[in-house]
Amino acid sequence: DGGITQSPKYLFRKEGQNVTLSCEQNLNHDAMYWYRQDPGQGLRLIYYSQIVNDFQKGDIAEGYSVSREKKESFPLTVTSAQKNPTAFYLCASSIARGGNYGYTFGSGTRLTVV
Amino acid sequence: AQSVSQHNHHVILSEAASLELGCNYSYGGTVNLFWYVQYPGQHLQLLLKYFSGDPLVKGIKGFEAEFIKSKFSFNLRKPSVQWSDTAEYFCAVNEGAVGKSTFGDGTTLTVKP
């Protein structure tokens, strides 16, 4: 079945560590997105990529970095500069850069700083 | 910046009651509009979408939404809810041809059997 795979499902990070969240899709979608979800809040856009080797900052990019070396993969690194990284992270993809088709979402990664 | 407002954070209904969840957005140009649903323990999934044509859009599981451009609104409706509709619902908006979506804060719907 086609879809988006996020791993790991749960991740624990110590203060000062960088961690990388994986997002892989086999839908042949052009565009991929990373969102952060906090309790009682909607999804906030961290980074997005509409084509391989190109990506743009979203609304809350500080403390995060991404790469898009392959169409299928869009990993997110949460760096030690991110002040409050504990959250639920969602990866999504869409069929075209035009944005008319809506997103397919992964199951998410819950990151906790310990 | 674009903003999306969902009026109700938590709605509680009995089965067979009618549902309307409000969604308003701030962008004045061409928009694409979406409702997503997250059932307990499941992925977020697309419920319905509007990008042109008939402003009354029908989605899965008997849901529909109406785009009213003059009111910057895209409210979600269902004539008769079921216990299985218990979920969190998110409204989202894309500006024109830009692919990235701005989401509302979500509405948690609890349907009592």
Side-chain angles (χ1 to χ4, degrees):
Chain A
D1 285 340
I4 297 181
T5 301
Q6 289 188 243
S7 62
K9 192 170 182 178
Y10 299 96
L11 186 57
F12 297 90
R13 191 195 91 172
K14 292 182 180 179
E15 295 275 357
Q17 278 185 337
N18 292 355
V19 290
T20 297
L21 283 58
S22 171
C23 178
E24 302 277 334
Q25 55 102 354
N26 61 2
L27 299 165
N28 199 33
H29 285 178
D30 294 312
M32 297 185 75
Y33 310 83
W34 275 105
Y35 284 86
R36 169 181 171 141
Q37 186 178 19
D38 294 283
Q41 298 188 37
L43 283 64
R44 292 182 290 167
L45 183 63
I46 305 172
Y47 268 98
Y48 64 105
S49 168
Q50 298 184 312
I51 196 168
V52 175
N53 292 322
D54 188 40
F55 49 82
Q56 286 77 40
K57 292 182 179 180
D59 300 320
I60 56 165
E62 186 176 351
Y64 299 98
S65 65
V66 293
S67 63
R68 186 88 187 276
E69 297 175 2
K70 299 186 299 182
K71 189 175 185 178
E72 301 80 18
S73 179
F74 191 42
L76 173 74
T77 297
V78 184
T79 75
S80 57
Q82 169 48 234
K83 296 285 188 280
N84 184 21
T86 295
F88 188 56
Y89 291 87
L90 283 165
C91 180
S93 68
S94 63
I95 194 169
R97 286 171 279 167
N100 290 341
Y101 298 94
Y103 291 170
T104 299
F105 281 93
S107 58
T109 293
R110 189 165 300 279
L111 173 63
T112 304
V113 174
V114 295
Chain B
Q2 172 73 264
S3 67
V4 179
S5 175
Q6 292 185 237
H7 310 302
N8 308 100
H9 292 294
H10 195 180
V11 172
I12 303 173
L13 295 172
S14 298
E15 277 195 314
S18 64
L19 170 72
E20 181 160 4
L21 301 182
C23 174
N24 286 90
Y25 60 93
S26 61
Y27 184 66
T30 301
V31 291
N32 301 315
L33 300 156
F34 308 88
W35 277 97
Y36 292 87
V37 60
Q38 187 168 28
Y39 298 104
Q42 295 189 26
H43 297 195
L44 263 167
Q45 59 183 283
L46 184 65
L47 193 57
L48 49 77
K49 63 187 178 189
Y50 170 83
F51 55 89
S52 65
D54 188 344
L56 184 61
V57 178
K58 296 194 183 299
I60 60 172
K61 303 188 180 185
F63 286 91
E64 64 180 31
E66 184 175 14
F67 170 48
I68 303 179
K69 189 174 181 179
S70 61
K71 295 185 178 180
F72 298 87
S73 71
F74 190 55
N75 291 356
L76 181 70
R77 301 195 293 244
K78 186 171 184 179
S80 176
V81 294
Q82 301 173 316
W83 176 79
S84 58
D85 293 324
T86 294
E88 191 159 17
Y89 294 81
F90 292 92
C91 180
V93 179
N94 287 9
E95 297 173 20
V98 178
K100 62 188 179 82
S101 288
T102 300
F103 284 78
D105 287 347
T107 298
T108 300
L109 172 65
T110 301
V111 180
K112 296 180 179 178

